[in-house]
Amino acid sequence: MAVLPLLNLSLPGILPTPTYMPGTLALLSLCMVFAALALSYNLLLGSGGMLSFGHALYFGAGAYGLGIALEHFGVPLWPGVFIALIGGMVIALVTGAVSMRVSGIPFAMVTLAFAQAGSVLVRRNSHITGGEEGLSLNTDQVPDFLIGVINTRNLYWFALGVLVVVYLVTLWVDTSRLGHLARATRENEQRVRVLGLSPYRVRLIVFVIAGGMASLAGVAYMLLQSGTVPRSVSADLTITVLVMVVLGGVGFRWGAIVGGVLYTLLDQRLTVLAGSDAIAGLPDVLRVPLSEPLFLFGVLFIVVVMFLPGGIAGTIDAAVRRRRGEKVRGALRRLDDADETETPAAGATADRVGA
């Protein structure tokens, strides 16, 4: 992925231009941003078992936080990134501490309420956030190598770096004692309490880390798009990220990446397909549904849920486990056959020795 901008590769129907050109690099950068966001949500849902409808709030906090820091505080880019990350984690700490007083569906509803409140604040305070029009990036405080179409390659590498950082953080959480406790809490919270541990504290730490990683993805989104809009804090975006995670496979890090990339590519390419002349020339019975990308997404999601209940990664993992199991069973059968073959020969040898 790091050398992709230096290559001349073409994938007709998937990528709009060769890989070294700005159009494809911008699309792939957006894919990696949403893959990072899906990874952070997978940390919540897959590791912690927390179904949140307000995760986009922290994504928007990163995007708006960077924009506000650059526009109203006048700080350089990197201090602005730091302010946005700290702000996103503080918001995650406050909202998570309140939301985790309940669990299950009530928890999801409380997070949804926080997301709606954040969306209202963004829309109503137009003098700070730009309101319905969104907030543009103040490029005066951004280095020149991250501005303009000519520097899309650098923005691509920045997005790739963000994805790598988010992946390494989620890997560390999943393999650490914190991750083991989070999964134990997800499976049996009462047992964790009996062991003298605090499920609330474990879940809150995971929630804050996931919120911080979502804010980092929001920072990358702000730089890539040179601005942000109120949808970046809405519950609609959270549902979109949930679809990405389910499509890729809940609980699989690489599945979240695949889901984020695949959904973003489909979203962009199906929109282009819906407005193409090929669709416009079809009969109404085909043209009407095929001209609606959301309809195609809905059909795809139903197919995945029905026939690939574990998502892409879960289905592949199950197939690999079955194949390994068949190999192990075959090896055991060969050992049994070898034992049965050796036993008669050993008996005949004993008879000769006795004679």
Side-chain angles (χ1 to χ4, degrees):
M1 293 296 292
V3 300
L4 197 60
L6 308 177
L7 304 178
N8 184 7
L9 301 178
S10 297
L11 293 175
I14 299 177
L15 299 178
T17 59
T19 52
Y20 70 92
M21 297 188 68
T24 291
L25 291 178
L27 176 58
L28 293 177
S29 301
L30 191 63
C31 288
M32 289 186 289
V33 167
F34 283 111
L37 180 59
L39 263 176
S40 68
Y41 191 80
N42 185 68
L43 186 63
L44 274 184
L45 184 60
S47 299
M50 292 176 278
L51 178 62
S52 171
F53 287 152
H55 196 61
L57 177 62
Y58 316 114
F59 178 80
Y64 275 100
L66 177 62
I68 292 171
L70 297 181
E71 179 70 25
H72 297 284
F73 298 162
V75 299
L77 174 63
W78 304 116
V81 171
F82 179 76
I83 292 172
L85 290 180
I86 295 299
M89 295 182 73
V90 169
I91 294 174
L93 177 63
V94 174
T95 57
V98 175
S99 303
M100 287 179 191
R101 298 297 177 182
V102 293
S103 59
I105 299 301
F107 170 80
M109 293 299 101
V110 174
T111 58
L112 175 61
F114 278 122
Q116 293 298 98
S119 180
V120 170
L121 288 174
V122 166
R123 296 174 189 275
R124 295 289 179 85
N125 294 278
S126 57
H127 60 289
I128 298 176
T129 62
E132 295 286 350
E133 300 298 325
L135 181 64
S136 299
L137 179 68
N138 183 0
T139 56
D140 294 339
Q141 305 297 334
V142 180
D144 292 338
F145 66 88
L146 292 176
I147 300 175
V149 176
I150 194 174
N151 292 312
T152 307
R153 182 183 299 177
N154 296 330
L155 288 168
Y156 170 90
W157 280 324
F158 181 82
L160 178 60
V162 167
L163 178 58
V164 171
V165 169
V166 173
Y167 180 85
L168 292 177
V169 171
T170 56
L171 176 63
W172 169 73
V173 172
D174 284 339
T175 56
S176 67
R177 183 171 180 266
L178 175 64
H180 296 316
L181 287 175
R183 287 189 293 274
T185 302
R186 178 194 65 196
E187 298 298 330
N188 194 325
E189 185 174 338
Q190 186 63 35
R191 181 177 295 177
V192 174
R193 285 199 182 94
V194 169
L195 293 175
L197 301 172
S198 174
Y200 176 86
R201 184 181 304 171
V202 170
R203 294 173 64 194
L204 182 58
I205 293 174
V206 172
F207 193 93
V208 172
I209 293 175
M213 294 303 98
S215 298
L216 182 59
V219 166
Y221 180 83
M222 184 69 176
L223 289 173
L224 182 63
Q225 300 293 310
S226 296
T228 187
V229 293
R231 185 179 180 273
S232 63
V233 298
S234 68
D236 292 344
L237 180 58
T238 301
I239 295 174
T240 299
V241 178
L242 174 60
V243 172
M244 293 178 185
V245 174
V246 172
L247 179 63
V250 178
F252 295 90
R253 287 182 298 273
W254 70 272
I257 295 175
V258 169
V261 171
L262 182 60
Y263 186 98
T264 307
L265 283 176
L266 286 174
D267 184 34
Q268 298 291 324
R269 303 313 296 166
L270 287 178
T271 302
V272 174
L273 177 65
S276 65
D277 295 335
I279 299 298
L282 293 175
D284 289 346
V285 67
L286 294 176
R287 179 180 56 80
V288 173
L290 292 180
S291 62
E292 295 292 339
L294 288 178
F295 173 81
L296 300 178
F297 272 124
V299 172
L300 175 64
F301 188 69
I302 291 172
V303 170
V304 169
V305 171
M306 289 183 63
F307 299 102
L308 303 175
I312 296 173
T315 303
I316 294 175
D317 182 70
V320 171
R321 289 178 182 272
R322 282 196 302 270
R323 187 168 183 178
R324 288 177 179 173
E326 291 173 358
K327 289 182 178 180
V328 171
R329 287 192 293 271
L332 291 175
R333 281 195 296 268
R334 287 192 295 271
L335 288 175
D336 291 339
D337 294 341
D339 289 341
E340 291 174 359
T341 303
E342 292 175 0
T343 299
T349 301
D351 292 342
R352 287 195 299 270
V353 170

